[in-house]
Amino acid sequence: QVQLKESGGGSVQAGGSLRLSCVASGDNYSPYCMGWFRQAFGNEREAVASIFTGGGNTYIADSVKGRFSISQDSAKNTLYLQMNNLKPDDTAVYYCAADTAFGDCHSSSLYINYWGQGTQVTVSS
């Protein structure tokens, strides 16, 4: 059983920063990649950032490029999302995601086979 547990969400004013963390646990857990998705009210879930666990190559969505960064600490099985210069449009539930089958953590949520429970990020103007 694989579990992904997020933390670090909250409420901030525009221009502020937050860092999300996701701790992974489980037997024989060996994902090809991990990433962050977000879902705002009434919208589809969209990829924000992802990272290949082996090589470290990253993907950052155009909407957050230059403001968000993704990193991992393999020794701690922890994934991070550093979010700077937050905007009201970044308000959403952010989900940690992992893929152990397709090697794609950003093209579609359909490729994700493990999800965290989500953490709310609210940015006020």
Side-chain angles (χ1 to χ4, degrees), residues 56-121:
N57 290 341
T58 62
Y59 161 85
I60 304 292
D62 287 343
S63 59
V64 302
K65 197 165 290 183
R67 302 186 296 120
F68 290 14
S69 62
I70 187 170
S71 61
Q72 61 182 351
D73 184 334
S74 300
K76 297 181 179 179
N77 279 343
T78 302
L79 181 72
Y80 302 100
L81 183 68
Q82 179 66 43
M83 305 185 294
N84 298 326
N85 191 21
L86 282 159
K87 302 177 180 180
D89 284 349
D90 295 318
T91 296
V93 177
Y94 283 70
Y95 296 90
C96 179
D99 163 40
T100 62
F102 299 103
D104 187 334
C105 284
H106 68 269
S107 295
S108 170
S109 61
L110 296 176
Y111 293 122
I112 302 300
N113 51 345
Y114 293 107
W115 294 98
Q117 81 285 357
T119 185
Q120 177 71 45
V121 171

Side-chain angles (χ1 to χ4, degrees), residues 8-65:
S11 297
V12 296
Q13 290 191 328
S17 298
L18 285 173
R19 188 175 81 155
L20 305 184
S21 299
C22 171
V23 178
S25 61
D27 294 335
N28 300 315
Y29 176 64
S30 183
Y32 289 114
C33 55
M34 295 187 69
W36 294 94
F37 283 70
R38 68 184 181 185
Q39 187 166 20
F41 182 76
N43 290 354
E44 293 185 355
R45 194 170 294 191
E46 63 175 0
V48 175
S50 66
I51 186 167
F52 280 93
T53 55
N57 290 341
T58 62
Y59 161 85
I60 304 292
D62 287 343
S63 59
V64 302
K65 197 165 290 183

